[in-house]
């Protein structure tokens, strides 16, 4: 399996997060032409309180967020809009870690009138792209990342979230 999911907040069980995370991660790597069998991603399924603590510890922002990601190494493109340096199997096999918070994800899904499973899948795809070096800080990078997300979600039968 590509994803190793640790569930701290039991509400994620009812959504079937293990299967959603695996499906989203596999679809992301497959879309980018990567063999998912050679990589690993850790996913922490937690509460808003836990992700707020992580967000403060790692980003200096003491509030909950929907998803966080920690790539195993920096892979971002030097120039705005260029493809990131995608890893190969071997020493880069561990792509990194993701944390996702239940309450904020559920609230966002409700506010956006989206199924929670679809919104969660989108956030996992988004986080996996971050692990692979995609970002949305610079304009052309954001366009590249968003177009990848939309294409991957379309292949999964999920509507454009933007």
């Amino acid at each position: 399996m590509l994803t190793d999911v640790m569930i701290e907040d039991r509400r994620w069980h009812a959504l079937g997060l293990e299967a959603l995370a695996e499906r989203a991660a596999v679809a992301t790597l497959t879309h980018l032409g990567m063999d998912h069998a050679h990589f690993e991603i850790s996913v922490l399924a937690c509460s808003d309180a836990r992700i707020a603590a992580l967000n403060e510890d790692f980003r200096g922002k003491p509030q909950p967020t929907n998803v966080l990601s920690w790539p195993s190494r920096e892979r971002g493109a030097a120039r705005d809009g260029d493809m990131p340096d995608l890893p190969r199997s071997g020493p880069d096999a561990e792509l990194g870690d993701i944390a996702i918070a239940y309450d904020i994800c559920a609230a966002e899904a409700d506010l956006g009138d989206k199924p929670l499973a679809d919104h969660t899948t989108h956030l996992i795809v988004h986080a996996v792209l971050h692990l692979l070096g995609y970002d949305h800080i610079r304009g052309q990078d954001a366009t590249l990342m968003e177009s990848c997300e939309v294409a991957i979600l379309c292949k999964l039968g999920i509507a454009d979230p933007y």
Side-chain angles (χ1 to χ4, degrees):
M1 292 200 55
L2 171 59
T3 57
D4 179 22
V5 179
M6 183 172 83
I7 296 184
E8 286 186 353
D9 187 320
R10 293 178 184 211
R11 295 173 293 174
W12 285 113
H13 284 295
L15 188 63
L17 183 67
E18 296 95 338
L20 284 178
E22 183 72 11
R23 182 173 178 245
V26 167
T28 303
L29 269 59
T30 300
H31 176 77
L32 297 170
M34 298 171 66
D35 183 355
H36 62 85
H38 298 288
F39 297 97
E40 297 174 6
I41 298 169
S42 295
V43 179
L44 172 65
C46 60
S47 66
D48 280 16
R50 175 82 153 118
I51 210 162
L54 291 169
N55 203 19
E56 181 172 21
D57 289 348
F58 291 96
R59 297 176 65 219
K61 297 180 178 184
Q63 68 264 356
T65 187
N66 51 19
V67 67
L68 292 170
S69 58
W70 297 271
S72 59
R73 75 173 188 87
E74 176 57 44
R75 297 180 173 92
R79 291 186 0 200
D80 187 12
D82 284 355
M83 284 288 293
D85 181 25
L86 296 178
R88 295 185 172 90
S89 60
D92 289 333
E94 187 177 305
L95 296 179
D97 303 322
I98 295 169
I100 188 163
Y102 188 87
D103 290 310
I104 198 161
C105 290
E108 289 173 348
D110 189 49
L111 185 64
D113 198 27
K114 301 173 185 175
L116 180 55
D118 289 358
H119 185 57
T120 300
T121 299
H122 174 215
L123 293 174
I124 297 291
V125 167
H126 182 87
V128 171
L129 287 172
H130 274 308
L131 296 181
L132 296 172
Y134 286 80
D135 210 341
H136 45 81
I137 302 298
R138 301 178 299 192
Q140 292 177 14
D141 287 345
T143 300
L144 177 64
M145 185 173 186
E146 183 177 311
S147 67
C148 279
E149 288 176 31
V150 170
I152 294 162
L153 293 171
C154 180
K155 289 178 184 176
L156 293 172
I158 297 172
D160 182 341
Y162 300 105

